[in-house]
Amino acid sequence: MAAMYTCEIMATAEVLGRVYGVLGRREGRVLHEEMKEGTDMFLIKAVLPVAESFGFADEIRKRTSGLASPQLVFSHWEVISSDPYWVPTTEEEYLHFGEKADSANQALKYTNAVRRRKGLYVEGKTVEHAEKQRTLGKNK
């Protein structure tokens, strides 16, 4: 299960595309969009996972140069439909999804984040691009 925020965003028409880009990058879904009467502002209602919301307001203000302002309110719990331990096994799945699949498994990503935060074992590389150890003392 994933906690979800209801997100209300007030934005002008010229930055609407950038708002949708930030929401899409953070696994958000737009539910409703309407134009406010008498103004050029749009009111966008969306749902956003709480785990993806850290730094959301700063990013949306930065990408839109301050022309969009979000408000987040806890809404509900949502069941994540994907299996965190799914791996393609048949040839048909390999052809359809590829070796690693096209996108990261959200359920596995959330599970690993919780495990890392609690100090539990997480399968994966700790160091990806290591170099030779550097000593800070001078050689004499």
Side-chain angles (χ1 to χ4, degrees), residues 18-74:
R18 289 182 240 161
V19 169
Y20 278 101
V22 171
L23 280 170
R25 198 170 20 261
R26 292 182 173 256
E27 306 299 324
R29 290 189 320 270
V30 175
L31 303 175
H32 184 278
E33 174 191 323
E34 66 183 41
M35 189 169 189
K36 267 197 143 175
E37 296 280 335
T39 64
D40 64 339
M41 299 293 281
F42 280 87
L43 179 65
I44 303 162
K45 289 193 178 198
V47 289
L48 183 74
V50 172
E52 300 287 339
S53 69
F54 301 106
F56 174 72
D58 293 334
E59 183 181 358
I60 207 160
R61 282 192 200 103
K62 186 171 117 182
R63 299 254 184 230
T64 62
S65 301
L67 296 175
S69 59
Q71 182 172 358
L72 301 171
V73 177
F74 178 77

Side-chain angles (χ1 to χ4, degrees), residues 17-140:
R18 289 182 240 161
V19 169
Y20 278 101
V22 171
L23 280 170
R25 198 170 20 261
R26 292 182 173 256
E27 306 299 324
R29 290 189 320 270
V30 175
L31 303 175
H32 184 278
E33 174 191 323
E34 66 183 41
M35 189 169 189
K36 267 197 143 175
E37 296 280 335
T39 64
D40 64 339
M41 299 293 281
F42 280 87
L43 179 65
I44 303 162
K45 289 193 178 198
V47 289
L48 183 74
V50 172
E52 300 287 339
S53 69
F54 301 106
F56 174 72
D58 293 334
E59 183 181 358
I60 207 160
R61 282 192 200 103
K62 186 171 117 182
R63 299 254 184 230
T64 62
S65 301
L67 296 175
S69 59
Q71 182 172 358
L72 301 171
V73 177
F74 178 77
S75 175
H76 63 282
W77 292 90
E78 191 172 285
V79 175
I80 300 173
S81 60
S82 62
D83 178 15
Y85 302 109
W86 180 83
V87 176
T89 53
T90 65
E91 188 165 329
E92 184 177 305
E93 288 175 347
Y94 274 111
L95 291 174
H96 189 265
F97 295 108
E99 183 70 31
K100 300 266 185 187
D102 288 339
S103 62
N105 186 339
Q106 285 304 113
L108 182 62
K109 183 174 143 188
Y110 293 151
T111 305
N112 285 342
V114 169
R115 287 176 164 268
R116 222 174 265 113
R117 188 176 72 234
K118 293 187 176 207
L120 300 172
Y121 172 73
V122 178
E123 191 173 312
K125 293 180 181 177
T126 306
V127 178
E128 287 188 22
H129 303 290
E131 294 179 2
K132 212 165 70 172
Q133 181 178 352
R134 193 178 77 174
T135 55
L136 298 177
K138 293 181 179 178
N139 293 334
K140 292 185 180 181

